[in-house]
Amino acid sequence: GDSVTQMEGPVTLSEEAFLTINCTYTATGYPSLFWYVQYPGEGLQLLLKATKADDKGSNKGFEATYRKETTSFHLEKGSVQVSDSAVYFCALSGSGYSTLTFGKGTMLLVSP
Amino acid sequence: NAGVTQTPKFQVLKTGQSMTLQCAQDMNHNSMYWYRQDPGMGLRLIYYSASEGTTDKGEVPNGYNVSRLNKREFSLRLESAAPSQTSVYFCASSEVAGGPSDTQYFGPGTRLTVL
């Protein structure tokens, strides 16, 4: 079945550092890929998505590129802020009629 | 436009008690979902409703029942609560289940403790 693997956290960075959170997936066909973010005490909200190979999703300075050859969708940001501290979830939506499959989440902690 | 709302926000139950978690969305979405979130486990799908009048089991349905009351509302019932059901429960909705349009919108969650 479909699966998503994320790097374990927490990831601890200083403000303005470069961020990478790795995400790889296993799926048949051509899934859509998503990054969701969960701020403390809140529900998840969509950060960005990509629906086909080589697409780049971007939002709020975050980017991720859909790499079919490496089955990856790594999240990057050039300069993190304290307000980016949250849990980040990679997810996929399989081709056809299916629901989302989530990774286990990666906590990001940014210090001033 | 409230998005997805959930009630209650917090609940404490004793083992064996029953309760219903309520969820409503005002985005005219067809599909709705119930997840549980546990430390180190990510989100696991309990049940979902791809469209009004249909429900299907997810990854962890045992001990739960659901009702899609109408297009807006999707409730989750615990008939006889167990300590293993202590978790944070999230409701979500999307325009359609699966594919590039499957952007799910989440409620704020219900934190449930079963003693």
Side-chain angles (χ1 to χ4, degrees), chain A residues 36 38 44 49 89 93 97-98, chain B residues 37 50 90 98-100 103-104 106:
Chain A
Y36 281 82
Q38 183 181 30
L44 279 72
K49 70 178 184 181
F89 291 90
S93 177
Y97 197 62
S98 67
Chain B
Q37 183 179 31
F90 288 101
T103 298
Q104 293 190 15
F106 285 77

Side-chain angles (χ1 to χ4, degrees), chain B residues 7-111:
Chain B
T7 55
K9 285 186 166 42
F10 300 94
Q11 184 71 48
V12 178
L13 294 178
K14 295 181 179 177
T15 297
Q17 288 186 315
S18 62
M19 78 161 295
T20 300
L21 281 64
Q22 307 286 354
C23 173
Q25 53 90 9
D26 62 1
M27 296 174 280
N28 200 37
H29 284 166
N30 292 299
S31 304
M32 299 184 73
Y33 313 81
W34 277 106
Y35 294 91
R36 58 178 289 172
Q37 183 179 31
D38 302 292
M41 301 293 291
L43 275 81
R44 292 182 291 171
L45 183 66
I46 304 172
Y47 270 94
Y48 70 102
S49 171
S51 60
E52 189 179 354
T54 68
T55 60
D56 285 286
K57 295 178 180 179
E59 182 184 355
V60 288
N62 290 346
Y64 304 95
N65 285 301
V66 290
S67 295
R68 183 75 182 266
L69 305 169
N70 48 54
K71 192 171 185 179
R72 289 187 64 247
E73 298 172 288
F74 188 40
S75 62
L76 178 71
R77 183 160 178 83
L78 287 69
E79 290 290 352
S80 178
S84 61
Q85 294 178 305
T86 294
S87 187
V88 181
Y89 292 85
F90 288 101
C91 178
S93 70
S94 68
E95 192 178 325
V96 63
S101 295
D102 193 11
T103 298
Q104 293 190 15
Y105 296 83
F106 285 77
T110 295
R111 188 174 295 273

Side-chain angles (χ1 to χ4, degrees), chain A residues 3-83:
Chain A
S3 67
V4 175
T5 303
Q6 289 180 239
M7 61 189 293
E8 291 192 22
V11 174
T12 305
L13 295 173
S14 298
E15 208 165 23
E16 299 183 4
F18 184 86
L19 168 70
T20 300
I21 299 178
N22 290 337
C23 171
T24 57
Y25 68 90
T26 302
T28 55
Y30 302 95
S32 296
L33 301 173
F34 304 81
W35 277 101
Y36 281 82
V37 59
Q38 183 181 30
Y39 298 104
E42 298 184 9
L44 279 72
Q45 53 185 276
L46 179 69
L47 181 60
L48 53 85
K49 70 178 184 181
T51 59
K52 61 182 188 296
D54 299 325
D55 267 3
K56 178 185 284 187
S58 61
N59 187 25
K60 300 181 181 179
F62 291 90
E63 294 183 338
T65 301
Y66 187 162
R67 302 283 189 203
K68 190 161 178 63
E69 63 276 12
T70 55
T71 61
S72 65
F73 193 54
H74 304 321
L75 182 68
E76 296 181 336
K77 187 175 185 183
S79 176
V80 294
Q81 305 299 312
V82 172
S83 57

